[in-house]
Amino acid sequence: MTTKSVSRLLLLSSVGIGSYLAGSYVERRKTADTVCLRRDDYVNDRSGNLLRTLQSKPGLPIFGTVSAASPIPAEQKSPAVSNVSRIGQIMKYGFPGLDNVRSYDDYVLSYDRRTRVAHWVFEHLTADGVKASQGVDRAKSDFKPDESVHPFFRSLNTDYKGSGFDRGHLAAAGNHRSEQKHCDQTFFLTNMAPQVRQSTNFPNFLTKK
């Protein structure tokens, strides 16, 4: 090893040892200062101001505070939960399945997106519930697609045009006449199934093998 290499090695060693000693000294001073603060309750002016500020506000978070969310006023009730109690009454004993369940104001169904016809329809019918209220008339209702269904899977009136089938109710309009909107909702095409038309061929169709 040459003299130049030895000198360089000694220089690097000196720098490393010096850095280590300096770091150790700083750490000892920090520890000593902390002990003094706890033991004698003595701090300099700058530290004292900081401690007094923190002590005057116990539990104050170091980071910025986050404002709490404002509560939703009671009158702004979400339409999605407006008929929860009625749906709970209809589905009191559970659901036959959970595939694409859709709840309306007075009945519930599971929509089959492949066939565009319901898997099943649930109603809760009572003698008082099926009584017609004044002014409720199915003649005011129109067959219409359910806009909440994706267009790829939505049943349309054109699906029945020229098919030879009628749009047959699953949840009957006559069972939902307490309010006009209940009757109207039975005319969603999600509540329809192809129905053989009433005609002179109807009896022959049933007996045909």
Side-chain angles (χ1 to χ4, degrees):
M1 184 179 292
T2 63
T3 303
K4 187 175 182 180
S5 298
V6 172
S7 300
R8 182 178 298 176
L9 180 60
L10 291 174
L11 178 61
L12 293 175
S13 300
S14 300
V15 172
I17 294 172
S19 300
Y20 170 77
L21 293 175
S24 299
Y25 174 76
V26 172
E27 290 298 323
R28 286 197 299 271
R29 286 299 303 270
K30 287 182 179 179
T31 303
D33 290 343
T34 302
V35 172
C36 289
L37 286 174
R38 293 177 180 175
R39 181 185 304 168
D40 303 326
D41 196 23
Y42 172 80
V43 291
N44 56 36
D45 291 340
R46 185 174 181 181
S47 298
N49 292 334
L50 176 60
L51 286 178
R52 281 194 292 272
T53 301
L54 294 177
Q55 289 170 356
S56 64
K57 298 179 181 179
L60 185 68
I62 296 175
F63 304 103
T65 57
V66 179
S67 300
S70 301
I72 299 175
E75 61 271 12
Q76 295 182 2
K77 194 172 183 180
S78 171
V81 297
S82 61
N83 62 340
V84 167
S85 59
R86 177 58 177 150
I87 300 307
Q89 186 181 37
I90 296 172
M91 308 306 299
K92 180 179 179 180
Y93 298 105
F95 293 76
L98 297 175
D99 182 25
N100 202 20
V101 174
R102 318 192 78 76
S103 59
Y104 301 97
D105 286 332
D106 209 34
Y107 71 98
V108 180
L109 61 78
S110 169
Y111 185 67
D112 187 344
R113 290 172 292 186
R114 182 179 63 87
T115 62
R116 301 185 183 182
V117 177
H119 291 292
W120 50 261
V121 175
F122 246 87
E123 303 170 86
H124 178 259
L125 305 178
T126 63
D128 292 334
V130 298
K131 290 180 180 178
S133 298
Q134 186 176 3
V136 176
D137 188 352
R138 63 175 293 156
K140 300 177 182 178
S141 305
D142 296 315
F143 291 100
K144 55 189 175 184
D146 186 340
E147 299 292 337
S148 68
V149 177
H150 192 283
F152 288 173
F153 311 110
R154 189 181 300 161
S155 180
L156 304 173
N157 283 309
T158 53
D159 295 334
Y160 291 87
K161 187 176 181 180
S163 67
F165 293 95
D166 287 335
R167 294 160 292 192
H169 282 73
L170 297 174
N175 292 338
H176 303 274
R177 296 180 294 172
S178 60
E179 296 184 33
Q180 184 62 45
K181 68 175 181 177
H182 293 174
C183 184
D184 291 343
Q185 288 179 356
T186 66
F187 281 79
F188 278 125
L189 294 180
T190 47
N191 184 47
M192 300 297 149
Q195 176 179 287
V196 177
R197 288 181 178 172
Q198 300 287 344
S199 66
T200 55
N201 294 326
F202 182 62
N204 295 331
F205 180 86
L206 293 178
T207 57
K208 187 176 180 180
K209 295 182 180 180

